[in-house]
């Protein structure tokens, strides 16, 4: 299964978010996911299986419990693929920062506005 197919599902993304906080027991994951998404325990188990099979999560048994953790290898691969597109949004964010700085600078140069002066484009009727 392709990484974006795995990550395209909101339940699996939420499970990965929960696992980003650290190792979690399958029962604890199931409890949160059932509460948030209203799906059955077998459905949660199926999502965990997809995450395991696709390499996004690992599981280790501890007695009767199954403890899940994130495996970052596929996430690093996704990050590497996205790298070639970062320039598109980085340039736009840089331009936005420039415009925000320009606006702050202009407001400082104008000084504090008096009440009623905020609408510079309109003149008061006499």
């Amino acid at each position: 299964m392709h990484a974006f197919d795995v990550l395209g599902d909101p339940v699996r993304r939420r499970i990965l978010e929960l696992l980003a906080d650290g190792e979690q027991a399958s029962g604890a994951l199931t409890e949160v996911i059932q509460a948030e998404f209203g799906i059955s325990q077998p459905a949660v188990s199926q999502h965990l299986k997809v995450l395991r099979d696709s390499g996004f999560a690992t599981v280790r048994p501890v007695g009767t419990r199954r403890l899940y953790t994130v495996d970052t290898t596929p996430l690093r691969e996704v990050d590497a693929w996205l790298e070639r597109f970062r320039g598109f949004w980085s340039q736009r964010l840089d331009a936005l920062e420039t415009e925000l700085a320009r606006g702050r600078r202009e407001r400082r140069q104008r000084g504090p506005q008096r009440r009623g002066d905020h609408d510079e484009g309109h003149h008061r009727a006499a």
Side-chain angles (χ1 to χ4, degrees), residues 45-59 68:
S45 293
Q46 185 59 41
H47 284 291
L48 289 169
K49 180 180 181 340
V50 169
L51 290 171
R52 279 192 324 268
D53 291 350
S54 61
F56 281 87
T58 59
V59 64
Y68 282 81

Side-chain angles (χ1 to χ4, degrees), residues 46-105:
Q46 185 59 41
H47 284 291
L48 289 169
K49 180 180 181 340
V50 169
L51 290 171
R52 279 192 324 268
D53 291 350
S54 61
F56 281 87
T58 59
V59 64
R60 72 181 177 94
V62 176
T64 59
R65 299 173 64 206
R66 300 290 175 259
L67 300 177
Y68 282 81
T69 56
V70 170
D71 185 337
T72 59
T73 303
L75 293 171
R76 284 192 302 268
E77 292 169 6
V78 168
D79 186 53
W81 186 84
L82 287 171
E83 182 61 37
R84 71 177 118 173
F85 300 101
R86 282 201 178 87
F88 293 119
W89 62 76
S90 294
Q91 291 170 1
R92 289 186 179 116
L93 290 174
D94 291 344
L96 175 61
E97 179 56 35
T98 299
E99 289 303 313
L100 292 171
R102 182 177 294 137
R104 287 190 297 267
R105 185 173 52 250

